[in-house]
Amino acid sequence: MAKDRKIDVVILGLLSHEDLTGYDIKKRIDGAINFFWKGSFGSIYPALSAMEEAGQIKSYRADDSGSREKILYHITVEGITVLKQWLNEEQAANELKYETLLKLYFGGVEGTETTIHNIEIFERNIKSELEVLKMYEKNLKKEQDNEDHKYFLLTVMFGIETYEAYLRWCTKAKKMLRN
Amino acid sequence: MAKDRKIDVVILGLLSHEDLTGYDIKKRIDGAINFFWKGSFGSIYPALSAMEEAGQIKSYRADDSGSREKILYHITVEGITVLKQWLNEEQAANELKYETLLKLYFGGVEGTETTIHNIEIFERNIKSELEVLKMYEKNLKKEQDNEDHKYFLLTVMFGIETYEAYLRWCTKAKKMLRN
DNA sequence: ATCAGCATGTAAGGCGTTACATGATTCA
DNA sequence: TGAATCATGTAACGCCTTACATGCTGAT
C-alpha cells in the first residue's frame, strides 16, 4: 500500500464484503462511514488503478450486457493480506480537526455574542447529524444476527455517544458564557 | 487569506494576544491547541512569509542584541480584520478522521480478538490524553479572572467531555464484543 | 423533453508533512 | 564536551479536493 494513502484500506475493507464499482464505493463512503472518514472520486478512481496494478484487486466488466459500461472490482488474496496487515498494526492515526474549537479558542477577539452564535451553529449541525446516526442505529439493531452489522453498529454507537457529549457541552458552554 | 490555508487564522489568533516568533507559534500549537489542530514548521514559516507579504502581520528583530537571531511577528490592523471576518463566517469545517473507527468498521475481517485489541490501544491513548487535558483544566480554572482563559477553558472542557464519552464507549464496545 | 442520478475518469493546484540543512545557546 | 532545545528555513513529495469533461439511463 502507498505509504499514507489510507483510502486504499477503505476500498479493501468495502471490497472484502462484496464486489463494487468505484461509484458504489463512493456511495458507501458517503453513508455510515462519512462521519469518521471521507473520500472523493478524485481519490477513489486513481487508487483503484494503482491497487489493481499492485495486484490487490481485480477488475471485470459487469456481464449484464444491456446496461452501460460498469467496472466492478473484486479483492484478491493479496488484497486481503494487506487489509489484515493494516488491521493488526498497532498505530492508528486519529485526528480531530475542528474549526469550531479554533474559533472558540480565539473567541476573546470578538466576544461572547459571536462565540455563542458559533456554538449554536455547531449545535444545530450536530443535532441533525445525530438524527442520521440514530436512524442508522435503528436499522442496524434490527439485523443484529448479521456478524458484520455488529461492527457497523459499534461505529454508529461511537458517533452517538460522542455527539451527545458534544450537545451536553454546548449547553454547558453557553451557560458559562452568559454567566 | 489563502482560500483553504487555515494555519493563517491560527497564527493570527495567537498573534492577537502577543508577539511571537515562528518557533513560539509552533510551541503554542503543540500545547492546548494540539488536540483539535496541528501545525508543522514546514507550514508555519511559509505562512508567516505569505501573511507578511499580504500585510496581515509585520516582522521585527528582537532588540536584545546579545541573543541570536530571532524574528518576532506583530499582527496589523489588516490582520485583525481578517481574523474577525473568519470568526464571523457561518461555516466551519469540523472533521473527524479516526483510523480506529475504520478498523472497527472492518473488524469482521479479523474478528473479535483483534478488534478488542485495537479498542484497548485507543483506550490507553485517550486515557493519557485525558490526563493532559485535566491538567490544563486545573491550571486554567485557577485563573478564571482572565477573560481569554475562559475561552481556552471551554475548548479543554470540550476535550474532556468528548474523551470521557470515548472511554464510556470503549467499555460498552468491549462488553458487546465479548457478548 | 428534461433533470436527477448513474458511471468513469483527468487535471490543476493547494495544503501539509517529513526530512534535510544549519547553527547558536544552555545546562548537566 | 555533548545533548537538548532554541531558531529559521527549504525541498521533495504525496495526498486530496475541486472542477472539469463526457455520456447513458430512468423517471416525471
Side-chain angles (χ1 to χ4, degrees), chain A residues 81-147:
Chain A
T81 307
V82 171
L83 179 60
K84 288 188 173 180
Q85 251 162 26
W86 167 72
L87 281 168
N88 287 291
E89 266 168 25
E90 291 285 311
Q91 8 76 292
N94 294 322
E95 201 179 318
L96 197 73
K97 231 180 134 183
Y98 271 27
E99 205 175 336
T100 296
L101 290 180
L102 213 46
K103 287 190 180 182
L104 188 71
Y105 193 84
F106 299 124
V109 176
E110 277 290 53
T112 309
E113 225 84 340
T114 306
T115 305
I116 288 178
H117 181 61
N118 284 328
I119 292 174
E120 280 168 350
I121 294 170
F122 178 69
E123 199 175 19
R124 267 199 300 282
N125 290 334
I126 292 300
K127 270 182 182 164
S128 90
E129 282 179 54
L130 180 57
E131 272 176 52
V132 176
L133 285 177
K134 286 200 165 165
M135 197 195 61
Y136 283 132
E137 188 189 34
K138 211 169 145 188
N139 293 332
L140 285 167
K141 277 191 169 164
K142 279 181 199 156
E143 305 172 73
Q144 278 198 311
D145 44 317
N146 184 319
E147 180 68 12

Side-chain angles (χ1 to χ4, degrees), chain B residues 90-109:
Chain B
E90 291 286 311
Q91 9 75 291
N94 294 322
E95 201 180 318
L96 197 75
K97 231 180 134 184
Y98 270 27
E99 204 175 337
T100 296
L101 290 180
L102 213 48
K103 287 189 180 181
L104 188 69
Y105 193 85
F106 300 123
V109 176

Side-chain angles (χ1 to χ4, degrees), chain A residues 2 7 20 27 32 40 63 80 110 126 164 168 170-172:
Chain A
I7 189 72
L20 296 166
K27 275 194 300 179
S40 62
D63 44 72
I80 291 169
E110 277 290 53
I126 292 300
E164 283 176 346
R168 277 196 302 278
C170 285
T171 307
K172 230 194 287 183

Side-chain angles (χ1 to χ4, degrees), chain B residues 50 69 76 93 114 155 177:
Chain B
E69 187 182 47
T76 64
T114 306
T155 63
L177 287 168

